Amino acid sequence: MGSQPKKNSAEWFIGQLNVDNAKLLAFFLVLGFIGYHGILHLRYGPDSCTWLLSSGRYKGDHEWQPYGCMLHKYSKTDARRCLRYLAFWGKYNSFAFIGDTRLEQLYEHFISGLKTRLDIDTSYSTIDHHLPNYTYIDSKLRLSVTFIWSDDVSKTMVDKFRVWQTLDRPPSVIIASSGLKLVKSRNVTESYLEEYKRNLTRLVQPIDALALRGTQVLWKLLEGVDSTKLKNNIKINNNDIDIYNKAVFEILQHSATKIWNVPRLAAAGAPSPDGMSLSLTALRHSTQILLNMFCNDHMNFNDGTCCAQPEPCTQLQLLTFALFLLCAVLVGARSIWRWSQTFKQKIDGYSLVNQPPKKTPSPMVALAKLGMIMSYFYLCDRTNFFMKENKYYSEWSFWLPVGYVFALGLFFTDESRSSSHSRVLHREQTDEWKGWMQLVILVYQVTGASKVLPIYMMVRALISSYLFLTGYGHFYYTWKTGDTGLVRYFRVIFRLNFFTIVLCLTMNRPYQFYSFIPLVSFWYTLMFVIFALPPHITPMSSHTVESKPYQYIYIGIKVVGLLSVVTVLFLSEVFFQKIFVMRPWKALFVNSDDDIHQWWLDWKQDRYSMAYGIIFAIAYLLAQRYNLLDDNNHSNLFTPGISLSATLLAFIGLGSYVTFTFLCSNTFDCNEIHSYVTFLPIVSYILLRNVSGALRTRHSSLFAWFGCITLELFASQSHIWLAADTHGVLVLVPGAPILKLDPHFVHLRVHCARDSQVDGDHSTVRGP
């Protein structure tokens, strides 16, 4: 017997790179992240308000990002809507600011974000007390905002807190800050510091009493100064400010006071105009933090998770998870019973003569694993266990990951292995196309690049490309097999929708939330109905098709019928809505607000994309029939002259669409034109990818692997990459929102060859 050569360390390492090890690694990484975030919650508490008030950072767009939660950007309309809502339910919205000049700045900026023109509505008033105390009142909003001057933690401040303690209706929120006067006078001696601490101690009892009555007390730490800009010979040392802030934390951390540290951090990142006062940027962020703290838990803003409780679990969700749990218990019980039987045989001295038969896939085990995955999805998106942050777009944050993706994809370039690997749009090539499109869309979603109109329109072209491939693949399959039976239809619909329906049940989201899946399902259903109607298409292998070209006339009639149905629906939005709001299918097309407008927008943007795919497939079949192109070998599709002309036209087509995206002035106009010109970049890409034989016969195995699970990634990215209904991003590693793990990639291992007939592949035609 010959001995096998010993593998070196590099070969051994490469051998370990397989799906099973990837699953195991993903599983332990998920457990590690759960344990890590569990420790964070135990140490710092699960209250995101604490994160909102204590820490954060400036992003590249100079917007403030709280630590671990999402900040909603309140407009004046949003803020007044929140206060009006609370007033409707009988809440009196009362804010009290007590402190020195910096807190007065914040008070003025806070009310400027709430009040409108005083001369229009007399319900607004500003009451001047003995200056410099002020009160802003809005009777419609049941709002009162008061500023009380106190430049030191003196008897005035202590007495005011005790007065609030005795009121029948104390303020809802109290913001206090003081100590700058002491720093100005350089009073940081031991005696002054001890007196400051004693005065702070006198505030603990009234603050705790107010907290028991529902009042939130915030103590704003002193912001630093820019000593290079100070005037009038004012000398303030930031080290002295830190000493007084430390004293505040030492005394008030044991009370119900919430230490508000963020203004100090925000002021440090936003230069002060005179070195002493707060900048407009710091004031704006502080105001937004106050509104988020006060309003988020009462308003339905998906992008504001700070201080907001997660939505409660519905009975349908509980029932779904209970079924998954039952499957897991049954699988566990069966595994324990089998192990006990094996162990009993070993104890009794029996041994198996024959090897046990190979285990067949168990639906119960599959459902138990699916339940584990759904539990992870729920933990990521429907709870506050993992952190969430607002999206941040920059040129680097979008284009750099896109560059990484394509560089990595090119690294895994491989020779196509399918039996028809030289054909136009063969199996590996279409999977590759779907894969890189999905990865680009994922980067687009995570970085929030939709605000850039050219990028938005280019991604719209990628969505249209997927529908184009859907029409192309399903028509080619129908042409090859003539299969328009219900078995085929239900197989495709099940493949498209099973995972999405499970997500709807476990995540409590409407079907339209996963907008691309309903879109593909609808267009396939419409195509199936039209091609299932007589006259039917005979399989291509039949002698009848070769001798009777009227089959192409039948196809032309069906395509015209498809375009006619689409045009009729498009001509009247009212008629469109009447069709799709009919029961029993209304629930499939409306969103959580029972509105169908979003379905109308998604539908009309790509209303011709599937028809373009069918027409291209017909043109390709005719070109093959009349020998206008030759893709049966590794050579170029056309003669050198025609190949060069086709390549030039392809570049012109791509350039024309890119130029259109830059010249288009607004999203509405772009979307209106898009459906008529979207075939340009798609056909141009197909030409560039297939004219050369060397390019046509090679593909990226990495992109092709992602292309096998495109539908699953489309549905799942909203929960395990994005967060808060796609408005934010999930953060597994604090401070690094781009670093994420998707165990869904390795758990949903899809065999492309197995599903080729379901996806409408034209290069691998199999029976059902």
Side-chain angles (χ1 to χ4, degrees):
M1 287 180 64
S3 61
Q4 300 215 354
K6 186 178 180 180
K7 294 183 178 180
N8 57 37
S9 57
E11 291 174 336
W12 178 86
F13 179 76
I14 294 174
Q16 301 305 309
L17 297 178
N18 53 58
V19 174
D20 291 333
N21 288 337
K23 289 181 181 181
L24 194 62
L25 177 63
F27 179 74
F28 283 109
L29 282 176
V30 166
L31 292 182
F33 282 125
I34 292 175
Y36 173 66
H37 283 265
I39 293 172
L40 289 180
H41 284 293
L42 289 175
R43 183 174 180 182
Y44 301 108
D47 186 9
S48 58
C49 268
T50 304
W51 305 346
L52 172 68
L53 299 173
S54 62
S55 184
R57 70 182 190 279
Y58 277 110
K59 297 185 292 186
D61 53 2
H62 212 62
E63 290 295 327
W64 185 256
Q65 174 59 62
Y67 178 79
C69 64
M70 294 171 58
L71 197 70
H72 175 72
K73 191 174 183 180
Y74 277 85
S75 62
K76 184 176 294 188
T77 302
D78 289 341
R80 295 185 64 83
R81 184 185 302 161
C82 164
L83 298 174
R84 189 179 296 112
Y85 171 80
L86 294 174
F88 175 80
W89 291 106
K91 183 177 178 62
Y92 189 72
N93 306 304
S94 177
F95 295 81
F97 294 78
I98 180 168
D100 50 23
T101 54
R102 286 178 168 179
L103 206 62
E104 183 180 9
Q105 278 187 276
L106 180 57
Y107 161 80
E108 291 174 350
H109 193 275
F110 182 76
I111 62 174
S112 69
L114 297 175
K115 65 182 179 181
T116 58
R117 294 177 57 184
L118 301 179
D119 56 343
I120 293 179
D121 195 331
T122 58
S123 67
Y124 308 106
S125 64
T126 301
I127 302 174
D128 294 340
H129 295 283
H130 49 88
L131 293 178
N133 296 349
Y134 319 98
T135 298
Y136 168 75
I137 295 176
D138 186 334
S139 57
K140 285 186 176 180
L141 303 181
R142 303 187 70 192
L143 172 66
S144 171
V145 188
T146 301
F147 171 74
I148 300 168
W149 175 267
S150 179
D151 59 356
D152 190 8
V153 186
S154 59
K155 186 175 183 299
T156 301
M157 180 179 286
V158 176
D159 289 344
K160 192 61 185 177
F161 270 90
R162 288 174 177 168
V163 169
W164 284 327
Q165 179 185 352
T166 60
L167 291 178
D168 294 333
R169 192 165 56 186
S172 307
V173 181
I174 299 173
I175 303 98
S177 180
S178 193
L180 193 59
K181 175 184 176 182
L182 297 173
V183 178
K184 282 183 180 179
S185 59
R186 305 284 294 175
N187 291 325
V188 279
T189 61
E190 189 70 25
S191 60
Y192 279 100
L193 194 59
E194 287 300 322
E195 182 182 356
Y196 186 71
K197 290 181 179 180
R198 284 195 300 270
N199 291 336
L200 285 173
T201 305
R202 294 189 182 100
L203 292 175
V204 172
Q205 187 274 330
I207 288 175
D208 290 344
L210 286 166
L212 292 175
R213 302 179 60 187
T215 298
Q216 299 186 69
V217 181
L218 277 59
W219 189 277
K220 184 171 73 70
L221 297 182
L222 295 176
E223 298 86 353
V225 298
D226 187 351
S227 57
T228 61
K229 296 182 180 180
L230 294 177
K231 300 178 181 178
N232 301 326
N233 296 323
I234 299 176
K235 293 184 179 180
I236 299 178
N237 192 333
N238 284 325
N239 291 331
D240 297 341
I241 292 177
D242 292 338
I243 291 173
Y244 278 97
N245 284 336
K246 184 179 179 181
V248 169
F249 186 79
E250 180 183 338
I251 301 301
L252 296 184
Q253 67 171 331
H254 303 293
S255 68
T257 311
K258 294 182 178 179
I259 305 298
W260 193 11
N261 187 42
V262 165
R264 185 175 68 89
L265 301 176
S272 170
D274 57 7
M276 177 71 72
S277 61
L278 300 178
S279 66
L280 184 61
T281 301
L283 291 171
R284 176 166 56 89
H285 294 324
S286 297
T287 299
Q288 288 294 326
I289 288 170
L290 282 176
L291 291 172
N292 275 262
M293 182 198 71
F294 190 72
C295 289
N296 278 359
D297 202 27
H298 305 286
M299 304 303 293
N300 191 26
F301 294 126
N302 290 321
D303 60 341
T305 63
C306 297
C307 300
Q309 295 296 320
E311 65 178 33
C313 195
T314 64
Q315 292 184 352
L316 186 58
Q317 286 175 286
L318 291 174
L319 178 61
T320 305
F321 280 112
L323 292 176
F324 283 134
L325 180 60
L326 177 62
C327 293
V329 170
L330 292 176
V331 169
R334 187 178 64 176
S335 300
I336 293 174
W337 182 82
R338 287 180 175 177
W339 176 84
S340 65
Q341 293 300 308
T342 305
F343 183 75
K344 182 180 178 181
Q345 289 177 353
K346 290 182 179 180
I347 293 296
D348 294 340
Y350 295 102
S351 61
L352 295 176
V353 177
N354 298 323
Q355 292 294 329
K358 187 177 180 180
K359 294 182 179 179
T360 58
S362 169
M364 196 70 69
V365 173
L367 288 174
K369 290 181 179 179
L370 181 60
M372 291 178 60
I373 296 174
M374 291 300 100
S375 299
Y376 175 73
F377 278 38
Y378 185 87
L379 193 66
C380 288
D381 194 36
R382 300 266 68 88
T383 70
N384 289 334
F385 186 80
F386 289 117
M387 298 177 180
K388 302 172 178 64
E389 288 190 2
N390 298 88
K391 295 180 180 180
Y392 160 61
Y393 171 80
S394 70
E395 299 292 337
W396 282 103
S397 67
F398 176 77
W399 291 110
L400 199 59
V402 169
Y404 286 154
V405 164
F406 279 98
L408 194 60
L410 291 175
F411 181 78
F412 285 92
T413 301
D414 194 8
E415 188 79 23
S416 297
R417 298 186 182 89
S418 65
S419 58
S420 55
H421 62 274
S422 64
R423 295 292 181 89
V424 172
L425 291 179
H426 55 80
R427 179 70 191 186
E428 285 87 355
Q429 188 183 129
T430 55
D431 284 338
E432 175 202 78
W433 191 358
K434 294 176 184 178
W436 71 255
M437 287 194 302
Q438 173 58 45
L439 293 176
V440 170
I441 291 172
L442 182 60
V443 175
Y444 165 85
Q445 292 278 20
V446 169
T447 57
S450 58
K451 62 179 68 175
V452 182
L453 187 56
I455 297 178
Y456 167 79
M457 292 308 302
M458 292 176 192
V459 171
R460 286 299 325 167
L462 300 185
I463 301 294
S464 302
S465 299
Y466 195 97
L467 291 171
F468 177 95
L469 288 175
T470 302
Y472 175 86
H474 285 299
F475 171 78
Y476 202 104
Y477 178 86
T478 303
W479 173 258
K480 288 281 188 178
T481 64
D483 185 3
T484 55
L486 287 177
V487 173
R488 158 74 178 173
Y489 171 75
F490 285 117
R491 283 172 60 87
V492 174
I493 291 299
F494 180 84
R495 166 74 171 88
L496 292 175
N497 291 275
F498 172 74
F499 184 64
T500 304
I501 296 301
V502 172
L503 285 174
C504 290
L505 296 175
T506 54
M507 300 292 113
N508 190 31
R509 286 297 171 264
Y511 184 57
Q512 274 300 316
F513 177 75
Y514 310 94
S515 56
F516 182 74
I517 310 300
L519 205 60
V520 176
S521 301
F522 168 78
W523 286 116
Y524 173 71
T525 299
L526 183 61
M527 174 186 169
F528 172 82
V529 169
I530 290 176
F531 279 86
L533 293 174
H536 298 108
I537 298 175
T538 308
M540 183 181 176
S541 57
S542 171
H543 176 73
T544 306
V545 177
E546 298 296 332
S547 60
K548 296 182 179 179
Y550 60 75
Q551 288 280 338
Y552 293 97
I553 299 177
Y554 293 163
I555 296 172
I557 294 173
K558 291 177 182 292
V559 172
V560 170
L562 174 63
L563 294 173
S564 300
V565 172
V566 172
T567 303
V568 169
L569 290 174
F570 172 70
L571 289 177
S572 174
E573 185 177 354
V574 175
F575 176 68
F576 178 91
Q577 292 184 1
K578 287 183 178 179
I579 293 295
F580 288 100
V581 298
M582 293 176 61
R583 299 187 184 278
W585 54 72
K586 175 185 176 181
L588 298 178
F589 302 103
V590 296
N591 58 20
S592 55
D593 297 326
D594 202 35
D595 183 23
I596 201 173
H597 185 63
Q598 188 59 48
W599 166 245
W600 160 254
L601 294 177
D602 294 338
W603 177 89
K604 74 172 184 177
Q605 286 174 356
D606 292 300
R607 59 186 180 273
Y608 298 126
S609 297
M610 182 168 278
Y612 290 148
I614 297 173
I615 293 171
F616 182 86
I618 296 171
Y620 172 65
L621 290 169
L622 289 173
Q624 280 186 320
R625 181 183 179 92
Y626 294 104
N627 298 320
L628 298 179
L629 57 82
D630 182 13
D631 61 351
N632 292 318
N633 50 58
H634 291 194
S635 61
N636 295 341
L637 284 180
F638 311 107
T639 61
I642 298 178
S643 296
L644 184 61
S645 300
T647 303
L648 181 61
L649 287 175
F651 277 114
I652 293 174
L654 284 175
S656 300
Y657 186 82
V658 172
T659 303
F660 154 70
T661 63
F662 280 95
L663 295 180
C664 206
S665 58
N666 58 76
T667 305
F668 178 80
D669 293 338
C670 286
N671 286 332
E672 288 298 313
I673 301 172
H674 167 77
S675 60
Y676 300 106
V677 300
T678 187
F679 68 91
L680 273 177
I682 298 174
V683 176
S684 298
Y685 173 80
I686 294 174
L687 286 175
L688 289 176
R689 188 68 178 82
N690 290 274
V691 166
S692 170
L695 288 177
R696 191 173 66 252
T697 56
R698 297 188 68 83
H699 74 286
S700 170
S701 57
L702 177 69
F703 289 155
W705 186 86
F706 279 103
C708 292
I709 55 174
T710 301
L711 286 172
E712 288 78 7
L713 295 185
F714 261 116
S716 63
Q717 68 180 8
S718 303
H719 301 295
I720 52 178
W721 286 83
L722 305 173
D725 292 347
T726 73
H727 291 87
V729 294
L730 186 72
V731 180
L732 296 180
V733 181
I738 301 301
L739 297 178
K740 297 182 182 69
L741 172 71
D742 188 357
H744 185 62
F745 288 172
V746 292
H747 279 290
L748 285 178
R749 176 65 174 171
V750 180
H751 300 286
C752 299
R754 180 194 64 195
D755 291 331
S756 60
Q757 57 184 3
V758 177
D759 291 336
D761 176 44
H762 68 279
S763 62
T764 308
V765 181
R766 298 162 55 91

